[in-house]
Amino acid sequence: MENQIEQIKQQHFNTYKSAIIETIKNNTNVLTDEDLTSLLKKPPLDSMDLIKSKFLSLAKKNKIVLNTEGLSTLLDNYREELLKCTKKIKKTRNDTLISVVDSFNDSESVIKLLKKDFNNVNKSIRKILKDSLEDGSKKFFKKIDQVFVEDIDSTIKEKIIKDIEKFINGIYERQMIENVDIKILIKDTTLMNLVKEQTERYLFTISNSRLFKDNI
């Protein structure tokens, strides 16, 4: 009978553990497929496109006409390149946090995700994002000629490229990383609260089940 009780208790713990793993996956899916994707993909309005607005502002300031079709294509390709990082981020976050949960095997213990666990994975996520932004920027500037008409003054062209490079690798990159950090913080906080709720339900069942009461 005692062995049967222990088996049932372990099964209950495994169900609790599986529920937390599923919660991690769902939380990460929302982070990568909705939150981060919305930041990295093409904005719904041209007025929200910071890079395009910067290009057009510089063109107006220097009294030149840009190849807007070439600019749109370049920006679309740039964003498609950035979006690739969401798959890496999803895998890294899931793998890291699930490995922490997998380390809990004893039905006498409760599963915890600590701040240090999130700090570790978020360092990796930040590196993935930063590398993606840098790689995307390099590919962007390799094809930047398609933005300009053929008879543009080379001095003006180089000045605009230099200003855009400073903007993308400076203000734009910093803002993007800050916005991603905020999205991650919200999801981390949500996940920690969900894990606590799962744990409270698990402990409540253990404490109030007639089956377990005399065997705790």
Side-chain angles (χ1 to χ4, degrees):
M1 181 63 180
E2 189 176 337
N3 285 340
Q4 288 180 329
I5 295 293
E6 286 304 315
Q7 285 177 0
I8 294 170
K9 199 172 182 181
Q10 187 62 46
Q11 286 172 1
H12 186 55
F13 177 82
N14 291 341
T15 300
Y16 155 62
K17 184 175 176 179
S18 296
I20 288 182
I21 289 174
E22 193 61 30
T23 299
I24 290 171
K25 290 178 180 178
N26 290 337
N27 180 272
T28 299
N29 284 343
V30 175
L31 173 65
T32 57
D33 300 351
E34 296 180 25
D35 295 346
L36 300 192
T37 296
S38 68
L39 288 174
L40 297 172
K41 72 180 183 180
K42 183 179 179 179
L45 300 173
D46 275 354
S47 60
M48 298 168 68
D49 192 331
L50 298 179
I51 300 177
K52 192 170 191 177
S53 296
K54 185 68 175 178
F55 257 111
L56 296 176
S57 173
L58 288 170
K60 185 177 180 181
K61 182 180 177 182
N62 288 278
K63 298 177 182 179
I64 65 163
V65 176
L66 296 175
N67 178 350
T68 52
E69 187 177 332
L71 175 57
S72 294
T73 300
L74 185 65
L75 288 172
D76 287 345
N77 292 339
Y78 173 65
R79 292 195 170 97
E80 282 178 18
E81 192 65 32
L82 294 186
L83 281 167
K84 291 177 183 176
C85 78
T86 58
K87 289 183 179 179
K88 292 180 183 177
I89 289 172
K90 180 186 287 189
K91 186 176 187 312
T92 298
R93 191 171 189 266
N94 278 338
D95 288 352
T96 305
L97 296 180
I98 290 172
S99 70
V100 174
V101 174
D102 277 336
S103 68
F104 292 89
N105 293 305
D106 188 353
S107 61
E108 298 299 323
S109 64
V110 294
I111 297 168
K112 294 178 182 178
L113 285 175
L114 304 176
K115 192 174 180 181
K116 68 175 185 178
D117 299 320
F118 289 98
N119 288 342
N120 290 337
V121 71
N122 290 341
K123 282 180 185 177
S124 299
I125 290 174
R126 179 182 273 265
K127 186 177 186 311
I128 291 169
L129 177 63
K130 194 165 177 60
D131 288 347
S132 181
L133 285 165
E134 290 175 358
D135 290 344
S137 176
K138 287 175 185 175
K139 292 177 181 178
F140 181 91
F141 286 103
K142 278 183 180 178
K143 296 183 178 180
I144 201 169
D145 282 349
Q146 69 189 58
V147 174
F148 301 99
V149 293
E150 291 182 2
D151 59 350
I152 185 174
D153 183 279
S154 60
T155 304
I156 293 175
K157 177 181 172 182
E158 289 306 315
K159 184 179 183 303
I160 291 175
I161 291 174
K162 187 176 179 180
D163 287 344
I164 287 292
E165 193 168 6
K166 184 178 179 182
F167 173 74
I168 289 180
N169 295 332
I171 294 172
Y172 183 77
E173 183 177 309
R174 284 197 301 274
Q175 286 183 346
M176 184 62 71
I177 290 172
E178 285 171 6
N179 288 334
V180 169
D181 282 344
I182 292 169
K183 296 287 187 183
I184 289 172
L185 178 61
I186 292 169
K187 281 296 168 290
D188 287 353
T189 303
T190 301
L191 181 54
M192 280 191 281
N193 289 334
L194 289 170
V195 170
K196 285 178 184 176
E197 288 174 15
Q198 295 274 8
T199 297
E200 286 169 5
R201 283 199 291 271
Y202 168 71
L203 291 175
F204 179 83
T205 303
I206 292 292
S207 299
N208 292 277
S209 170
R210 291 180 62 186
L211 184 63
F212 300 134
K213 240 176 187 180
D214 297 329
N215 292 274
I216 298 174

